Amino acid sequence: MASTSSYGAQVSALLLFALMVVSSSRAAFAADFYQEFDLDWGNNLANIVNGGQLLTLSLDQTSGSGFQSKKEYLFGRFDMQLKLVAGNSAGTATTYYLSSQGPTHDEIDIEFLGNLSGNPYILHTNVFTQGKGGREQQFYLWFDPTTDFHTYTIVWNKQRIIVLENQEAIGIPFPNSQPMKIYSSIWNAEEWATRGGLVKIDWTNAPFTAYYKNFNANACLWSSGTSECSSSSTSSPSNAAWQTQDLDAIGRRGLRWVQQYYMVYNYCTDLGRFPNGFPPECI
């Protein structure tokens, strides 16, 4: 593997599918979790503390836990700082994603798959459009996501989910009409998460806890069947830089670096799944 102290350290932000990771514990935003999110399952395993500045999700043998945003959005940039489960987290999955509702839902999916102590976490990504997913990619994380908070950003605009392009012109569905909420959870995924389910959860290490802080949404709010970005106001999020954001030269080089050294799985190279030809976006 390439050394992260050389080229990797020069990449301040790397976007993978719908993910941008900034390896820093500093942030200029600090939304109140009480105002932004509902703890929707897990009872006392989900908690908001520190006056609304920190949220924790835990998993034990009785249940996992999760939260969802109070608001819905149609396009935006969503920043969240996470610190993942430390130590032996094998069999656990911690998620951070956007999703609409219903059988034909859209979803931008990020999952962090737990590991045996000393092994890297796996980042699992997928995108659903009109109820259909199957766009999985997996990468080893090239840093330790358990020792400090790292910023994870989803950028979703009309042209792309970084770096999934809108290719509706050639018949490939793209999530651009269904408003989504932000969700996160930690749950028992031992049947598949670590080495394809070979390594199970060691419950002597429970509870397993993930930590969240410094949420920020620069996005188009959805309310009463319409988006605020239809407003012509100069202060509207429709005028924000994320609306046309794409990978710059550093981001493209960083993406190639991670694909070369850290990619574990790519649906666009899985002949077993697509013996009659890969999906058109792969080509």
Side-chain angles (χ1 to χ4, degrees), residues 2-14 21-24 142-143 250 253-254 257-258 261-262:
S3 170
T4 57
S5 64
S6 55
Y7 176 70
Q10 301 172 27
V11 183
S12 61
L14 177 66
V21 178
V22 182
S23 299
S24 170
W142 54 100
F143 58 93
I250 291 176
R253 289 197 299 270
W257 173 74
V258 170
Y261 293 106
Y262 294 96

Side-chain angles (χ1 to χ4, degrees), residues 188-226:
N188 179 350
E190 66 178 2
E191 295 303 317
W192 70 280
T194 307
R195 295 184 61 197
L198 293 177
V199 183
K200 305 300 183 182
I201 293 178
D202 182 354
W203 291 109
T204 64
N205 294 313
F208 304 94
T209 302
Y211 302 85
Y212 301 75
K213 68 177 184 178
N214 292 332
F215 168 73
N216 185 59
N218 185 358
C220 301
L221 283 174
W222 183 267
S223 179
S224 302
T226 187

Side-chain angles (χ1 to χ4, degrees), residues 18 68 76 115 130 162 202 220 259:
Q68 64 176 283
N115 61 2
Q130 300 175 18
I162 307 294
D202 182 354
C220 301
Q259 289 173 331

Side-chain angles (χ1 to χ4, degrees), residues 228-236 238-239:
E228 69 173 340
C229 287
S230 60
S231 168
S232 60
S233 169
T234 57
S235 62
S236 167
S238 62
N239 297 293

Side-chain angles (χ1 to χ4, degrees), residues 54-55 57 80-86 94 121 144-150 152 209-213:
L54 181 70
L55 188 153
L57 295 181
M80 182 78 81
Q81 289 195 318
L82 279 75
K83 183 165 68 172
L84 300 181
V85 176
T94 304
Y121 260 81
D144 187 344
T146 72
T147 58
D148 202 352
F149 284 89
H150 296 264
Y152 301 88
T209 302
Y211 302 85
Y212 301 75
K213 68 177 184 178

Side-chain angles (χ1 to χ4, degrees), residues 4-250:
T4 57
S5 64
S6 55
Y7 176 70
Q10 301 172 27
V11 183
S12 61
L14 177 66
L15 292 87
L16 302 167
F17 240 83
L19 174 70
M20 180 165 62
V21 178
V22 182
S23 299
S24 170
S25 60
R26 299 182 297 274
F29 41 82
D32 187 329
F33 280 103
Y34 286 117
Q35 296 180 4
E36 297 290 341
F37 295 99
D38 290 320
L39 305 178
D40 58 342
W41 66 287
N43 296 321
N44 62 342
L45 291 170
N47 292 281
I48 298 174
V49 296
N50 291 0
Q53 298 305 299
L54 181 70
L55 188 153
T56 65
L57 295 181
S58 295
L59 164 71
D60 65 15
Q61 284 181 286
T62 66
S63 177
S65 56
F67 65 81
Q68 64 176 283
S69 63
K70 296 177 183 291
K71 303 168 185 175
E72 287 185 300
Y73 306 91
L74 187 64
F75 306 121
R77 173 184 170 128
F78 308 92
D79 300 283
M80 182 78 81
Q81 289 195 318
L82 279 75
K83 183 165 68 172
L84 300 181
V85 176
N88 181 359
S89 57
T92 70
T94 304
T95 68
Y96 172 53
Y97 61 103
L98 291 168
S99 183
S100 60
Q101 299 298 308
T104 58
H105 76 290
D106 294 337
E107 184 174 322
I108 302 167
D109 189 26
I110 298 169
E111 300 190 34
F112 302 94
L113 308 184
N115 61 2
L116 287 169
S117 298
N119 294 327
Y121 260 81
I122 287 180
L123 167 70
H124 176 99
T125 66
N126 201 352
V127 174
F128 289 76
T129 53
Q130 300 175 18
K132 296 180 180 180
R135 294 165 166 168
E136 299 92 345
Q137 292 188 333
Q138 292 184 343
F139 305 85
Y140 285 124
L141 287 182
W142 54 100
F143 58 93
D144 187 344
T146 72
T147 58
D148 202 352
F149 284 89
H150 296 264
T151 303
Y152 301 88
T153 300
I154 295 174
V155 177
W156 169 40
N157 57 39
K158 293 181 180 179
Q159 293 79 36
R160 61 191 61 87
I161 303 163
I162 307 294
V163 288
L164 177 68
E165 296 291 329
N166 184 337
Q167 300 184 70
E168 289 181 299
I170 58 173
I172 300 171
F174 185 81
N176 62 7
S177 61
Q178 299 187 63
M180 301 197 218
K181 287 187 175 184
I182 301 162
Y183 296 85
S184 191
S185 63
I186 183 169
W187 56 288
N188 179 350
E190 66 178 2
E191 295 303 317
W192 70 280
T194 307
R195 295 184 61 197
L198 293 177
V199 183
K200 305 300 183 182
I201 293 178
D202 182 354
W203 291 109
T204 64
N205 294 313
F208 304 94
T209 302
Y211 302 85
Y212 301 75
K213 68 177 184 178
N214 292 332
F215 168 73
N216 185 59
N218 185 358
C220 301
L221 283 174
W222 183 267
S223 179
S224 302
T226 187
S227 167
E228 69 173 340
C229 287
S230 60
S231 168
S232 60
S233 169
T234 57
S235 62
S236 167
S238 62
N239 297 293
W242 60 262
Q243 283 281 39
T244 56
Q245 186 172 344
D246 196 359
L247 287 174
D248 59 14
I250 291 176

